[in-house]
Amino acid sequence: DSIDLEIDCSDVNEIVNSIKNFAPSFGGINLEDIAAPDCFVIEEKLKEQLDIPVFHDDQHGTAIITTAALINALHINGKLMKDIRIVVNGAGASAIACTELFKNSGVLNQNVIMLDRKGVIFKGRSEGIDQWKSKHAIETKLRTLEEAIEGADVFLGLSAKGILKKEHVKKMAKNPIIFACANPDPEILPEQIEEVRNDAIIATGRSDYPNQVNNLI
């Protein structure tokens, strides 16, 4: 019963005002396809001003389904949430939301390494950092994906085609979990993973492969 309303505007305050003004017609608002960091600001302001639920599918829909997939994958490989080390490649809306829900579900802060286009987000880095990324900065000497992936239990990709290489997959821990969720072309194709590992649990954001992890499906 939802209605798709397009707003022809890229100004944060104007988007907030538009939604606020038509909100009385609806029981809830689902924000869609708004890039970070604007999506965080828009959602925050609307939650303050409206008395109906406000939800951003790219953030929370992806986080919910990806965390469910992680719980199931850990059930299969026997590892515990508090013990796993995760590499998150991508630092946009969905990556940050997934990371926050992973941590709220028991993953330790120091066991998550997040990367953006400039590499590892570490404490003390000043280039290309905002308040949302800095929340996930950790003390580490690792600077690249190649360094970070060594011994990792989980790779979550919400980034770009072909970023994860077969040589990276070889370096991961036993029974790795690989969620390559870039769309339409994942960070690595499942068949490429299978060429170098027979113990990996694999998911993508695509419906033509098994284990689709994409928003709330």
Side-chain angles (χ1 to χ4, degrees):
D1 296 332
S2 64
I3 297 170
D4 184 21
L5 295 172
E6 305 293 332
I7 300 174
D8 185 13
C9 175
S10 56
D11 178 81
V12 166
N13 290 322
E14 201 169 327
I15 292 169
V16 169
N17 285 332
S18 297
I19 295 171
K20 183 181 74 173
N21 290 334
F22 64 59
S25 299
F26 300 100
I29 302 290
N30 177 29
L31 304 169
E32 184 69 49
D33 289 340
I34 303 171
D38 288 354
C39 61
F40 305 125
V41 178
I42 291 167
E43 183 190 16
E44 208 170 273
K45 287 189 173 187
L46 288 170
K47 281 183 171 175
E48 287 170 5
Q49 296 177 37
L50 299 181
D51 59 357
I52 59 174
V54 178
F55 184 85
H56 183 210
D57 195 35
D58 301 277
Q59 287 184 68
H60 312 302
T62 306
I64 289 163
I65 195 68
T66 306
T67 303
L70 179 64
I71 291 166
N72 288 348
L74 293 175
H75 180 71
I76 291 167
N77 73 14
K79 296 180 184 181
L80 299 175
M81 202 73 86
K82 66 182 177 63
D83 297 332
I84 57 172
R85 199 164 73 72
I86 300 179
V87 172
V88 179
N89 201 73
S94 52
I96 286 173
C98 287
T99 300
E100 289 186 354
L101 194 51
F102 285 177
K103 290 177 180 179
N104 289 339
S105 302
V107 176
L108 301 181
N109 185 66
Q110 66 266 27
N111 286 350
V112 181
I113 295 177
M114 181 179 282
L115 298 94
D116 61 9
R117 288 183 182 88
K118 298 182 186 298
V120 170
I121 296 170
F122 59 90
K123 280 194 175 166
R125 192 183 117 181
S126 56
E127 191 182 4
I129 296 293
D130 57 32
Q131 68 188 81
W132 296 281
K133 288 183 186 180
S134 64
K135 187 177 174 186
H136 302 290
I138 63 165
E139 296 278 2
T140 180
K141 292 181 179 175
L142 304 173
R143 295 294 180 263
T144 65
L145 177 58
E146 190 168 4
E147 293 170 356
I149 203 74
E150 182 98 44
D153 299 287
V154 181
F155 171 85
L156 170 62
L158 292 154
S159 51
K161 173 184 177 180
I163 291 285
L164 192 68
K165 308 298 182 190
K166 287 192 278 190
E167 49 268 32
H168 297 154
V169 173
K170 285 181 186 177
K171 293 181 175 183
M172 293 183 72
K174 189 180 176 186
N175 300 321
I177 296 166
I178 300 171
F179 294 164
C181 298
N183 258 334
D185 300 305
E187 284 79 5
I188 188 169
L189 292 168
E191 52 266 36
Q192 292 175 308
I193 298 170
E194 288 160 0
E195 286 172 16
V196 293
R197 303 289 300 234
N198 62 5
D199 60 343
I201 295 173
I202 307 163
T204 71
R206 282 172 43 164
S207 57
D208 56 339
Y209 284 107
N211 299 340
Q212 184 185 16
V213 183
N214 184 15
N215 292 14
L216 283 176
I217 311 187

Tab-separated table of all heavy atoms in Angstrom, residues 116-171:
chain	number	residue	atom	x	y	z
A	116	ASP	N	37.283	2.864	3.168
A	116	ASP	CA	36.630	3.633	2.104
A	116	ASP	C	37.586	3.686	0.917
A	116	ASP	O	38.554	2.913	0.857
A	116	ASP	CB	36.208	5.025	2.599
A	116	ASP	CG	37.389	5.884	3.055
A	116	ASP	OD1	38.556	5.471	2.830
A	116	ASP	OD2	37.150	6.961	3.614
A	117	ARG	N	37.343	4.585	-0.014
A	117	ARG	CA	38.184	4.644	-1.223
A	117	ARG	C	39.645	4.964	-0.910
A	117	ARG	O	40.532	4.665	-1.699
A	117	ARG	CB	37.628	5.703	-2.192
A	117	ARG	CG	36.335	5.300	-2.864
A	117	ARG	CD	35.876	6.357	-3.861
A	117	ARG	NE	34.618	6.004	-4.491
A	117	ARG	CZ	33.416	6.311	-4.003
A	117	ARG	NH1	33.319	6.981	-2.871
A	117	ARG	NH2	32.315	5.954	-4.641
A	118	LYS	N	39.881	5.593	0.222
A	118	LYS	CA	41.248	5.989	0.580
A	118	LYS	C	41.947	4.971	1.478
A	118	LYS	O	43.062	5.196	1.924
A	118	LYS	CB	41.233	7.369	1.257
A	118	LYS	CG	40.706	8.478	0.348
A	118	LYS	CD	40.745	9.836	1.017
A	118	LYS	CE	40.087	10.905	0.140
A	118	LYS	NZ	40.757	11.088	-1.144
A	119	GLY	N	41.256	3.856	1.768
A	119	GLY	CA	41.883	2.809	2.577
A	119	GLY	C	41.245	2.671	3.947
A	119	GLY	O	40.099	3.077	4.168
A	120	VAL	N	41.993	2.087	4.881
A	120	VAL	CA	41.490	1.804	6.227
A	120	VAL	C	41.154	3.104	6.959
A	120	VAL	O	41.904	4.084	6.891
A	120	VAL	CB	42.534	0.997	7.032
A	120	VAL	CG1	42.143	0.898	8.509
A	120	VAL	CG2	42.711	-0.396	6.432
A	121	ILE	N	40.017	3.091	7.654
A	121	ILE	CA	39.626	4.231	8.485
A	121	ILE	C	40.211	3.990	9.880
A	121	ILE	O	39.715	3.143	10.635
A	121	ILE	CB	38.093	4.378	8.536
A	121	ILE	CG1	37.575	4.694	7.124
A	121	ILE	CG2	37.668	5.462	9.518
A	121	ILE	CD1	36.067	4.633	6.974
A	122	PHE	N	41.287	4.676	10.169
A	122	PHE	CA	42.014	4.462	11.430
A	122	PHE	C	42.013	5.735	12.268
A	122	PHE	O	41.815	6.842	11.751
A	122	PHE	CB	43.464	4.021	11.145
A	122	PHE	CG	44.261	4.995	10.328
A	122	PHE	CD1	44.998	6.008	10.936
A	122	PHE	CD2	44.278	4.902	8.943
A	122	PHE	CE1	45.736	6.915	10.180
A	122	PHE	CE2	45.018	5.815	8.170
A	122	PHE	CZ	45.737	6.817	8.795
A	123	LYS	N	42.200	5.577	13.567
A	123	LYS	CA	42.239	6.730	14.468
A	123	LYS	C	43.437	7.591	14.121
A	123	LYS	O	44.558	7.106	14.020
A	123	LYS	CB	42.308	6.263	15.922
A	123	LYS	CG	40.961	5.860	16.463
A	123	LYS	CD	40.943	5.711	17.966
A	123	LYS	CE	39.515	5.425	18.427
A	123	LYS	NZ	39.450	4.956	19.813
A	124	GLY	N	43.180	8.883	13.929
A	124	GLY	CA	44.250	9.799	13.558
A	124	GLY	C	44.221	10.178	12.093
A	124	GLY	O	44.871	11.133	11.689
A	125	ARG	N	43.466	9.426	11.278
A	125	ARG	CA	43.354	9.791	9.864
A	125	ARG	C	42.465	11.025	9.734
A	125	ARG	O	41.403	11.096	10.353
A	125	ARG	CB	42.746	8.628	9.067
A	125	ARG	CG	42.865	8.825	7.549
A	125	ARG	CD	42.192	7.717	6.771
A	125	ARG	NE	41.093	8.259	5.978
A	125	ARG	CZ	40.293	7.537	5.202
A	125	ARG	NH1	40.452	6.239	5.103
A	125	ARG	NH2	39.327	8.109	4.516
A	126	SER	N	42.902	11.993	8.953
A	126	SER	CA	42.133	13.237	8.812
A	126	SER	C	41.495	13.369	7.431
A	126	SER	O	40.466	14.025	7.278
A	126	SER	CB	43.032	14.454	9.074
A	126	SER	OG	44.147	14.433	8.205
A	127	GLU	N	42.063	12.711	6.438
A	127	GLU	CA	41.595	12.878	5.060
A	127	GLU	C	40.308	12.091	4.818
A	127	GLU	O	40.227	10.889	5.084
A	127	GLU	CB	42.683	12.405	4.084
A	127	GLU	CG	42.408	12.785	2.644
A	127	GLU	CD	43.480	12.255	1.693
A	127	GLU	OE1	44.379	11.532	2.146
A	127	GLU	OE2	43.390	12.563	0.501
A	128	GLY	N	39.277	12.787	4.310
A	128	GLY	CA	38.031	12.132	3.919
A	128	GLY	C	37.246	11.530	5.072
A	128	GLY	O	36.545	10.536	4.902
A	129	ILE	N	37.347	12.134	6.256
A	129	ILE	CA	36.664	11.606	7.441
A	129	ILE	C	35.536	12.544	7.858
A	129	ILE	O	35.696	13.758	7.839
A	129	ILE	CB	37.668	11.442	8.609
A	129	ILE	CG1	38.725	10.394	8.259
A	129	ILE	CG2	36.963	11.072	9.903
A	129	ILE	CD1	38.211	8.975	8.140
A	130	ASP	N	34.397	11.964	8.224
A	130	ASP	CA	33.309	12.760	8.808
A	130	ASP	C	32.901	12.107	10.128
A	130	ASP	O	33.496	11.108	10.544
A	130	ASP	CB	32.124	12.875	7.839
A	130	ASP	CG	31.572	11.526	7.409
A	130	ASP	OD1	31.618	10.570	8.218
A	130	ASP	OD2	31.091	11.400	6.262
A	131	GLN	N	31.906	12.667	10.800
A	131	GLN	CA	31.548	12.179	12.130
A	131	GLN	C	31.026	10.756	12.122
A	131	GLN	O	31.157	10.015	13.107
A	131	GLN	CB	30.512	13.109	12.773
A	131	GLN	CG	29.145	13.084	12.092
A	131	GLN	CD	28.225	14.161	12.628
A	131	GLN	OE1	28.298	15.312	12.235
A	131	GLN	NE2	27.341	13.784	13.537
A	132	TRP	N	30.425	10.319	10.999
A	132	TRP	CA	29.872	8.971	10.925
A	132	TRP	C	30.972	7.940	10.682
A	132	TRP	O	30.949	6.861	11.276
A	132	TRP	CB	28.802	8.921	9.844
A	132	TRP	CG	27.644	9.804	10.198
A	132	TRP	CD1	26.624	9.528	11.075
A	132	TRP	CD2	27.414	11.143	9.741
A	132	TRP	NE1	25.770	10.602	11.172
A	132	TRP	CE2	26.220	11.608	10.364
A	132	TRP	CE3	28.079	11.984	8.861
A	132	TRP	CZ2	25.689	12.873	10.139
A	132	TRP	CZ3	27.554	13.258	8.617
A	132	TRP	CH2	26.374	13.694	9.258
A	133	LYS	N	31.923	8.270	9.824
A	133	LYS	CA	33.051	7.358	9.605
A	133	LYS	C	33.944	7.274	10.843
A	133	LYS	O	34.409	6.193	11.216
A	133	LYS	CB	33.896	7.834	8.412
A	133	LYS	CG	33.261	7.648	7.052
A	133	LYS	CD	34.244	8.085	5.969
A	133	LYS	CE	33.624	8.062	4.589
A	133	LYS	NZ	34.603	8.489	3.544
A	134	SER	N	34.204	8.425	11.463
A	134	SER	CA	35.158	8.467	12.583
A	134	SER	C	34.690	7.601	13.752
A	134	SER	O	35.504	7.097	14.529
A	134	SER	CB	35.390	9.909	13.047
A	134	SER	OG	34.199	10.464	13.551
A	135	LYS	N	33.385	7.385	13.854
A	135	LYS	CA	32.837	6.535	14.913
A	135	LYS	C	33.378	5.106	14.816
A	135	LYS	O	33.442	4.379	15.806
A	135	LYS	CB	31.307	6.539	14.798
A	135	LYS	CG	30.574	5.848	15.924
A	135	LYS	CD	29.076	5.971	15.732
A	135	LYS	CE	28.328	5.155	16.771
A	135	LYS	NZ	26.877	5.148	16.520
A	136	HIS	N	33.769	4.698	13.606
A	136	HIS	CA	34.231	3.326	13.383
A	136	HIS	C	35.740	3.240	13.136
A	136	HIS	O	36.247	2.196	12.734
A	136	HIS	CB	33.441	2.700	12.233
A	136	HIS	CG	31.965	2.683	12.489
A	136	HIS	ND1	31.389	1.871	13.443
A	136	HIS	CD2	30.956	3.432	11.967
A	136	HIS	CE1	30.086	2.099	13.476
A	136	HIS	NE2	29.806	3.041	12.598
A	137	ALA	N	36.440	4.340	13.406
A	137	ALA	CA	37.903	4.326	13.300
A	137	ALA	C	38.484	3.569	14.492
A	137	ALA	O	38.000	3.701	15.617
A	137	ALA	CB	38.438	5.756	13.272
A	138	ILE	N	39.500	2.736	14.232
A	138	ILE	CA	40.152	2.014	15.330
A	138	ILE	C	41.660	2.241	15.282
A	138	ILE	O	42.202	2.698	14.268
A	138	ILE	CB	39.850	0.500	15.285
A	138	ILE	CG1	40.411	-0.143	13.990
A	138	ILE	CG2	38.369	0.219	15.422
A	138	ILE	CD1	40.461	-1.656	14.048
A	139	GLU	N	42.308	1.923	16.390
A	139	GLU	CA	43.775	1.975	16.443
A	139	GLU	C	44.316	0.779	15.667
A	139	GLU	O	44.110	-0.372	16.069
A	139	GLU	CB	44.264	1.905	17.900
A	139	GLU	CG	43.842	3.074	18.759
A	139	GLU	CD	44.746	4.288	18.592
A	139	GLU	OE1	45.684	4.230	17.769
A	139	GLU	OE2	44.492	5.295	19.275
A	140	THR	N	44.973	1.011	14.553
A	140	THR	CA	45.541	-0.078	13.756
A	140	THR	C	46.647	0.449	12.851
A	140	THR	O	46.609	1.608	12.440
A	140	THR	CB	44.460	-0.779	12.912
A	140	THR	OG1	45.062	-1.831	12.143
A	140	THR	CG2	43.772	0.202	11.956
A	141	LYS	N	47.599	-0.426	12.552
A	141	LYS	CA	48.664	-0.071	11.610
A	141	LYS	C	48.313	-0.521	10.190
A	141	LYS	O	49.045	-0.245	9.244
A	141	LYS	CB	49.982	-0.706	12.049
A	141	LYS	CG	50.512	-0.091	13.353
A	141	LYS	CD	51.831	-0.715	13.768
A	141	LYS	CE	52.342	-0.054	15.048
A	141	LYS	NZ	53.571	-0.702	15.550
A	142	LEU	N	47.188	-1.218	10.045
A	142	LEU	CA	46.755	-1.692	8.726
A	142	LEU	C	46.240	-0.513	7.907
A	142	LEU	O	45.569	0.379	8.434
A	142	LEU	CB	45.661	-2.743	8.869
A	142	LEU	CG	46.014	-3.961	9.741
A	142	LEU	CD1	44.798	-4.837	9.946
A	142	LEU	CD2	47.158	-4.754	9.122
A	143	ARG	N	46.567	-0.509	6.618
A	143	ARG	CA	46.181	0.632	5.776
A	143	ARG	C	45.454	0.238	4.498
A	143	ARG	O	44.812	1.076	3.868
A	143	ARG	CB	47.441	1.454	5.418
A	143	ARG	CG	48.138	2.123	6.611
A	143	ARG	CD	47.258	3.189	7.217
A	143	ARG	NE	47.867	3.875	8.353
A	143	ARG	CZ	47.640	3.561	9.626
A	143	ARG	NH1	46.817	2.565	9.928
A	143	ARG	NH2	48.210	4.240	10.609
A	144	THR	N	45.564	-1.012	4.069
A	144	THR	CA	44.967	-1.421	2.787
A	144	THR	C	44.070	-2.644	2.975
A	144	THR	O	44.147	-3.336	4.009
A	144	THR	CB	46.056	-1.785	1.759
A	144	THR	OG1	46.760	-2.957	2.233
A	144	THR	CG2	47.036	-0.633	1.566
A	145	LEU	N	43.242	-2.913	1.974
A	145	LEU	CA	42.389	-4.109	2.006
A	145	LEU	C	43.241	-5.367	2.060
A	145	LEU	O	42.931	-6.305	2.797
A	145	LEU	CB	41.471	-4.121	0.777
A	145	LEU	CG	40.567	-5.349	0.610
A	145	LEU	CD1	39.660	-5.541	1.826
A	145	LEU	CD2	39.738	-5.238	-0.663
A	146	GLU	N	44.301	-5.384	1.303
A	146	GLU	CA	45.197	-6.551	1.268
A	146	GLU	C	45.749	-6.856	2.658
A	146	GLU	O	45.852	-8.017	3.058
A	146	GLU	CB	46.348	-6.299	0.283
A	146	GLU	CG	47.170	-7.546	0.006
A	146	GLU	CD	48.118	-7.373	-1.163
A	146	GLU	OE1	48.211	-6.268	-1.725
A	146	GLU	OE2	48.779	-8.371	-1.504
A	147	GLU	N	46.082	-5.814	3.416
A	147	GLU	CA	46.592	-6.010	4.779
A	147	GLU	C	45.474	-6.407	5.733
A	147	GLU	O	45.626	-7.293	6.576
A	147	GLU	CB	47.264	-4.722	5.277
A	147	GLU	CG	48.539	-4.354	4.533
A	147	GLU	CD	49.052	-2.955	4.863
A	147	GLU	OE1	48.383	-2.227	5.624
A	147	GLU	OE2	50.115	-2.596	4.355
A	148	ALA	N	44.321	-5.752	5.600
A	148	ALA	CA	43.221	-5.962	6.540
A	148	ALA	C	42.587	-7.349	6.418
A	148	ALA	O	42.113	-7.922	7.403
A	148	ALA	CB	42.157	-4.888	6.324
A	149	ILE	N	42.583	-7.911	5.208
A	149	ILE	CA	41.865	-9.162	4.957
A	149	ILE	C	42.596	-10.379	5.522
A	149	ILE	O	42.002	-11.440	5.701
A	149	ILE	CB	41.612	-9.332	3.426
A	149	ILE	CG1	40.420	-10.269	3.162
A	149	ILE	CG2	42.868	-9.839	2.715
A	149	ILE	CD1	39.095	-9.673	3.448
A	150	GLU	N	43.863	-10.224	5.839
A	150	GLU	CA	44.680	-11.339	6.368
A	150	GLU	C	44.040	-11.884	7.645
A	150	GLU	O	43.910	-11.195	8.649
A	150	GLU	CB	46.090	-10.830	6.677
A	150	GLU	CG	47.038	-11.888	7.182
A	150	GLU	CD	47.941	-12.458	6.102
A	150	GLU	OE1	48.478	-11.687	5.284
A	150	GLU	OE2	48.099	-13.689	6.102
A	151	GLY	N	43.588	-13.146	7.609
A	151	GLY	CA	43.025	-13.796	8.790
A	151	GLY	C	41.613	-13.374	9.151
A	151	GLY	O	41.085	-13.776	10.194
A	152	ALA	N	40.967	-12.561	8.317
A	152	ALA	CA	39.604	-12.097	8.621
A	152	ALA	C	38.600	-13.243	8.502
A	152	ALA	O	38.716	-14.106	7.627
A	152	ALA	CB	39.207	-10.960	7.688
A	153	ASP	N	37.615	-13.240	9.390
A	153	ASP	CA	36.551	-14.252	9.348
A	153	ASP	C	35.431	-13.862	8.398
A	153	ASP	O	34.759	-14.727	7.834
A	153	ASP	CB	35.960	-14.443	10.749
A	153	ASP	CG	36.988	-14.925	11.747
A	153	ASP	OD1	37.371	-16.098	11.665
A	153	ASP	OD2	37.406	-14.116	12.597
A	154	VAL	N	35.213	-12.538	8.268
A	154	VAL	CA	34.083	-12.036	7.479
A	154	VAL	C	34.536	-10.893	6.581
A	154	VAL	O	35.279	-10.003	7.023
A	154	VAL	CB	32.938	-11.524	8.391
A	154	VAL	CG1	31.757	-11.020	7.557
A	154	VAL	CG2	32.480	-12.603	9.370
A	155	PHE	N	34.083	-10.924	5.329
A	155	PHE	CA	34.233	-9.773	4.429
A	155	PHE	C	32.833	-9.312	4.063
A	155	PHE	O	32.021	-10.094	3.567
A	155	PHE	CB	34.996	-10.146	3.148
A	155	PHE	CG	34.986	-9.052	2.101
A	155	PHE	CD1	35.928	-8.034	2.144
A	155	PHE	CD2	34.025	-9.034	1.091
A	155	PHE	CE1	35.915	-7.013	1.185
A	155	PHE	CE2	34.008	-8.026	0.137
A	155	PHE	CZ	34.960	-7.014	0.184
A	156	LEU	N	32.558	-8.037	4.326
A	156	LEU	CA	31.308	-7.436	3.872
A	156	LEU	C	31.652	-6.342	2.877
A	156	LEU	O	32.313	-5.366	3.221
A	156	LEU	CB	30.515	-6.838	5.047
A	156	LEU	CG	29.306	-5.977	4.644
A	156	LEU	CD1	28.270	-6.790	3.872
A	156	LEU	CD2	28.655	-5.320	5.867
A	157	GLY	N	31.211	-6.523	1.652
A	157	GLY	CA	31.473	-5.535	0.614
A	157	GLY	C	30.211	-4.780	0.246
A	157	GLY	O	29.208	-5.383	-0.149
A	158	LEU	N	30.253	-3.473	0.417
A	158	LEU	CA	29.177	-2.588	-0.046
A	158	LEU	C	29.882	-1.458	-0.773
A	158	LEU	O	29.843	-0.306	-0.373
A	158	LEU	CB	28.346	-2.095	1.140
A	158	LEU	CG	27.537	-3.202	1.823
A	158	LEU	CD1	27.259	-2.889	3.281
A	158	LEU	CD2	26.228	-3.464	1.085
A	159	SER	N	30.579	-1.838	-1.856
A	159	SER	CA	31.523	-0.899	-2.475
A	159	SER	C	31.470	-0.954	-3.996
A	159	SER	O	30.574	-0.362	-4.588
A	159	SER	CB	32.936	-1.174	-1.942
A	159	SER	OG	33.278	-2.553	-2.057
A	160	ALA	N	32.401	-1.693	-4.617
A	160	ALA	CA	32.514	-1.623	-6.077
A	160	ALA	C	32.943	-2.957	-6.674
A	160	ALA	O	33.561	-3.795	-6.006
A	160	ALA	CB	33.524	-0.531	-6.454
A	161	LYS	N	32.622	-3.111	-7.932
A	161	LYS	CA	32.930	-4.331	-8.702
A	161	LYS	C	34.417	-4.691	-8.636
A	161	LYS	O	35.283	-3.838	-8.799
A	161	LYS	CB	32.528	-4.090	-10.160
A	161	LYS	CG	32.927	-5.181	-11.136
A	161	LYS	CD	32.573	-4.789	-12.553
A	161	LYS	CE	33.029	-5.843	-13.554
A	161	LYS	NZ	32.689	-5.466	-14.944
A	162	GLY	N	34.689	-5.984	-8.377
A	162	GLY	CA	36.022	-6.527	-8.530
A	162	GLY	C	37.052	-6.115	-7.499
A	162	GLY	O	38.248	-6.406	-7.665
A	163	ILE	N	36.639	-5.480	-6.408
A	163	ILE	CA	37.591	-4.992	-5.394
A	163	ILE	C	38.299	-6.147	-4.690
A	163	ILE	O	39.486	-6.082	-4.391
A	163	ILE	CB	36.854	-4.109	-4.342
A	163	ILE	CG1	36.401	-2.788	-4.961
A	163	ILE	CG2	37.696	-3.885	-3.105
A	163	ILE	CD1	37.502	-1.788	-5.187
A	164	LEU	N	37.537	-7.216	-4.390
A	164	LEU	CA	38.107	-8.365	-3.679
A	164	LEU	C	38.689	-9.352	-4.690
A	164	LEU	O	37.995	-9.809	-5.592
A	164	LEU	CB	37.028	-9.044	-2.827
A	164	LEU	CG	37.531	-10.083	-1.818
A	164	LEU	CD1	38.334	-9.424	-0.709
A	164	LEU	CD2	36.373	-10.882	-1.224
A	165	LYS	N	39.973	-9.653	-4.526
A	165	LYS	CA	40.671	-10.551	-5.449
A	165	LYS	C	40.771	-11.959	-4.864
A	165	LYS	O	40.663	-12.149	-3.655
A	165	LYS	CB	42.089	-10.019	-5.734
A	165	LYS	CG	42.144	-8.554	-6.174
A	165	LYS	CD	41.399	-8.304	-7.470
A	165	LYS	CE	41.502	-6.850	-7.906
A	165	LYS	NZ	40.603	-6.539	-9.035
A	166	LYS	N	41.032	-12.918	-5.756
A	166	LYS	CA	41.166	-14.306	-5.299
A	166	LYS	C	42.306	-14.462	-4.292
A	166	LYS	O	42.190	-15.228	-3.330
A	166	LYS	CB	41.368	-15.239	-6.496
A	166	LYS	CG	40.110	-15.444	-7.302
A	166	LYS	CD	40.222	-16.582	-8.294
A	166	LYS	CE	40.909	-16.151	-9.565
A	166	LYS	NZ	40.814	-17.190	-10.621
A	167	GLU	N	43.383	-13.692	-4.494
A	167	GLU	CA	44.508	-13.775	-3.545
A	167	GLU	C	44.128	-13.236	-2.164
A	167	GLU	O	44.663	-13.667	-1.144
A	167	GLU	CB	45.750	-13.056	-4.083
A	167	GLU	CG	45.544	-11.654	-4.602
A	167	GLU	CD	45.259	-11.578	-6.103
A	167	GLU	OE1	44.632	-12.509	-6.657
A	167	GLU	OE2	45.676	-10.580	-6.710
A	168	HIS	N	43.170	-12.276	-2.130
A	168	HIS	CA	42.663	-11.794	-0.843
A	168	HIS	C	41.877	-12.897	-0.132
A	168	HIS	O	42.031	-13.113	1.065
A	168	HIS	CB	41.735	-10.589	-1.035
A	168	HIS	CG	42.397	-9.385	-1.621
A	168	HIS	ND1	41.706	-8.430	-2.344
A	168	HIS	CD2	43.686	-8.965	-1.595
A	168	HIS	CE1	42.547	-7.488	-2.733
A	168	HIS	NE2	43.742	-7.790	-2.298
A	169	VAL	N	41.023	-13.579	-0.895
A	169	VAL	CA	40.173	-14.643	-0.338
A	169	VAL	C	41.039	-15.762	0.248
A	169	VAL	O	40.719	-16.319	1.299
A	169	VAL	CB	39.224	-15.190	-1.430
A	169	VAL	CG1	38.454	-16.405	-0.928
A	169	VAL	CG2	38.257	-14.096	-1.886
A	170	LYS	N	42.130	-16.076	-0.401
A	170	LYS	CA	43.037	-17.120	0.086
A	170	LYS	C	43.590	-16.799	1.473
A	170	LYS	O	43.893	-17.693	2.259
A	170	LYS	CB	44.224	-17.281	-0.881
A	170	LYS	CG	43.911	-17.997	-2.170
A	170	LYS	CD	45.190	-18.090	-3.000
A	170	LYS	CE	44.927	-18.663	-4.376
A	170	LYS	NZ	46.160	-18.679	-5.216
A	171	LYS	N	43.733	-15.497	1.772
A	171	LYS	CA	44.332	-15.060	3.043
A	171	LYS	C	43.361	-15.077	4.220
A	171	LYS	O	43.772	-14.892	5.361
A	171	LYS	CB	44.867	-13.623	2.901
A	171	LYS	CG	46.050	-13.469	1.967
A	171	LYS	CD	46.467	-12.009	1.960
A	171	LYS	CE	47.724	-11.797	1.134
A	171	LYS	NZ	48.170	-10.390	1.193
